[in-house]
Amino acid sequence: MRDSFFRMLLDCYGLWTWEYDAKLDLLTTNSIAPYFHGLLLLGRDRREVILSHGQKTTLPLIISNTIGTMWAVVAKHDEDGKTEGFFAIGPVLTGEYARREVEQAADKLNLSIRNKLAVLDCVKDIPYVSINVLFQHAVALHYYVMGRKVRTSDFVYYEAGQGQKRQETEDERVVHAPFFVEKKLLDMVRTGNLDYHDALSVSGSVSSGIRLQCADPVRQAKYSVVAFITLCSRAAIEGGLSSEWAYTLSDTYTAAVDRAQNVSQIAAISHTMYEDFIRRVNQVRRRAGISKPVRMCCDYIDTHVSDSLSLRVLAEHVDYTEYYLSRKFKAETGMSIKAYICQARMREARSLLSATNLSIQEIADRLRFCSRSYFTEQFKKDTGMLPVEYREKHFL
């Protein structure tokens, strides 16, 4: 099973895997340059960090450094909690800019031309994957090693190569443990509470995010927001949002975070994501007094917004006549089915404009508007802005 799991990571994603004993002596790897790639994991202070982490927990340890390479490491414990060994995935690069940083660092080393070329050849072979993909495989690796599921918000992070760890002040310890703030924020998602602005403002002044010894504020922000997205999606599901929608939104916003270039962009994504989850849960909860067939109709529209929707299709879905469903839907929701479909498509249009590079024409076609001009007309009527204006203001 181990060989098939590792083979899948290599064949499908180009990811190298490593197995070490309890002392971090290498047992097996499928890396094409084990000596060089192994140094990226165990060089400098990383060996002590990994050993210390392994004594405490099996939670995935995400190791990164100033030149852009990243690893996921999982310790294997026996039944008594003693470290039996370590498994790792890496190294990976999280962007082409990271590859350039590695190459520039190699240029600064006091190496012969032959050795420098050998190092650069090894760098070229390091795969590029998004942070989100690495996190997903870290979850899978932990499940393979320990047989237990973990969340990305449970990960432990370490930024290597920063010298001595800075001692936290008492104020910083308070900042790192804002449990009451996190609980309030997530409770607002669960209940679809639209009075969230004050709580969101307070959280920004109280919490700097998850624990991380990291000198790079952009990377710190990305880790924090990815964890927050995971928590919000789970809270939204608990609040009644369908898991299909919650996971789709989570993937969309995580991808947007991965593309972000600075802290301001990441903060904007986090705020938009939080508001989006709350509003969707609020809408679901407002349907609580609506009959089951009408709720089923609304859910079908929301999850098939890009499909060809008609009164006939919806009536067949809930096993009503078209006439009866039309009257019942209007009586319970206060709007016609046609108006609700348009409203749902406008919500999807806003998401696509803010989180994708799809053209206006592609969005109009995907949401089954008869023409770009009609889509533009309906969008301006709904938001007060042209689609291009909305994208310029809200693009993530």
Side-chain angles (χ1 to χ4, degrees), residues 263-333:
V263 174
S264 295
Q265 290 178 358
I266 297 167
I269 294 168
S270 179
H271 188 281
T272 301
M273 175 276 303
Y274 185 70
E275 179 177 351
D276 195 5
F277 272 118
I278 285 181
R279 291 190 178 280
R280 289 177 186 270
V281 172
N282 179 269
Q283 184 180 47
V284 169
R285 294 175 73 86
R286 280 193 285 110
R287 296 178 191 161
I290 296 176
S291 64
K292 182 177 179 180
V294 173
R295 285 202 310 272
M296 289 173 60
C297 189
C298 291
D299 290 340
Y300 188 91
I301 293 171
D302 289 343
T303 54
H304 296 79
V305 70
S306 298
D307 294 349
S308 179
L309 296 169
S310 65
L311 179 58
R312 179 185 60 80
V313 169
L314 295 170
E316 289 177 355
H317 179 65
V318 298
D319 199 24
Y320 275 359
T321 65
E322 295 177 26
Y323 176 79
Y324 184 67
L325 175 61
S326 178
R327 290 176 61 86
K328 187 174 182 62
F329 191 97
K330 179 69 177 289
E332 294 187 13
T333 67

Side-chain angles (χ1 to χ4, degrees), residues 67-190:
I67 61 173
T69 62
M70 297 185 68
W71 295 76
V73 181
V74 173
K76 184 177 182 180
H77 286 184
D78 61 19
E79 294 180 354
D80 297 324
K82 184 178 179 181
T83 304
E84 290 186 333
F86 297 88
F87 291 84
I89 298 173
V92 302
L93 296 168
T94 56
E96 286 301 320
Y97 68 91
R99 190 183 304 279
R100 291 193 296 271
E101 290 180 356
V102 176
E103 293 172 350
Q104 289 169 5
D107 285 337
K108 296 177 182 178
L109 297 176
N110 186 23
L111 299 174
S112 66
I113 294 178
R114 180 179 179 181
N115 288 338
K116 186 178 294 184
L117 290 175
V119 169
L120 292 177
D121 283 340
C122 290
V123 171
K124 291 177 182 177
D125 291 323
I126 297 177
Y128 160 71
V129 299
S130 69
I131 291 175
N132 186 38
V133 169
L134 179 63
F135 284 8
Q136 291 174 356
H137 293 313
V139 170
L141 179 63
H142 184 273
Y143 187 82
Y144 160 73
V145 173
M146 296 303 300
R148 296 195 297 269
K149 294 181 180 180
V150 293
R151 302 167 298 181
T152 55
S153 56
D154 295 326
F155 289 2
V156 180
Y157 302 85
Y158 182 78
E159 175 80 6
Q162 297 299 323
Q164 295 295 319
K165 296 179 183 179
R166 184 168 55 86
Q167 184 66 38
E168 292 179 333
T169 65
E170 186 63 31
D171 288 341
E172 288 172 325
R173 293 192 189 97
V174 173
V175 166
H176 282 314
F179 174 76
F180 69 97
V181 175
E182 178 184 288
K183 185 177 185 301
K184 186 173 183 180
L185 288 174
L186 296 179
D187 282 343
M188 288 187 162
V189 175
R190 290 187 189 94

